[in-house]
Amino acid sequence: MRRKQDRSRCPKCAERVTPFAAGCAICGMDLDVRRWDTGPSVSQRAGSFVRALSSGPTVGRPRSGGSGLVLNCAVAGVLLSVVGALIAGVLSLVGAL
């Protein structure tokens, strides 16, 4: 059974190293994390690909939950028009002085 690599130890001499060390002070081994990282396995990449295909929009079926966007736009429109009227009123008063 393969042991998981400990990133706080040098993979060559097992001496403790800091997380920010570029190399081991004892044996000189390069500790660049990107070179140790093997990345996702083939099964993880395949699962990600399948999830990406299945989570797209459906064709021929209406999407549910679209009323939230309409409601948010309506509230934003009302609030922005009120703020615009207040700014216009203040500017008209300042211009009258």
Side-chain angles (χ1 to χ4, degrees):
M1 187 164 127
R2 188 174 177 200
R3 234 175 83 200
K4 185 177 177 185
Q5 290 180 344
D6 184 9
R7 296 190 187 270
S8 65
R9 296 208 175 265
C10 173
K12 185 174 181 183
C13 67
E15 186 67 28
R16 289 188 65 78
V17 293
T18 64
F20 306 108
C24 178
I26 304 300
C27 68
M29 170 105 181
D30 186 21
L31 299 176
D32 189 7
V33 176
R34 287 175 291 164
R35 294 185 187 165
W36 303 14
D37 193 12
T38 58
S41 68
V42 174
S43 62
Q44 288 174 332
R45 285 183 291 187
S48 175
F49 177 73
V50 170
R51 279 192 306 276
L53 290 178
S54 64
S55 66
T58 56
V59 178
R61 217 172 28 160
R63 295 193 314 192
S64 61
S67 63
L69 179 63
V70 173
L71 181 63
N72 286 340
C73 288
V75 169
V78 169
L79 289 177
L80 288 175
S81 63
V82 169
V83 169
L86 289 174
I87 291 174
V90 169
L91 289 178
S92 68
L93 288 176
V94 171
L97 295 176

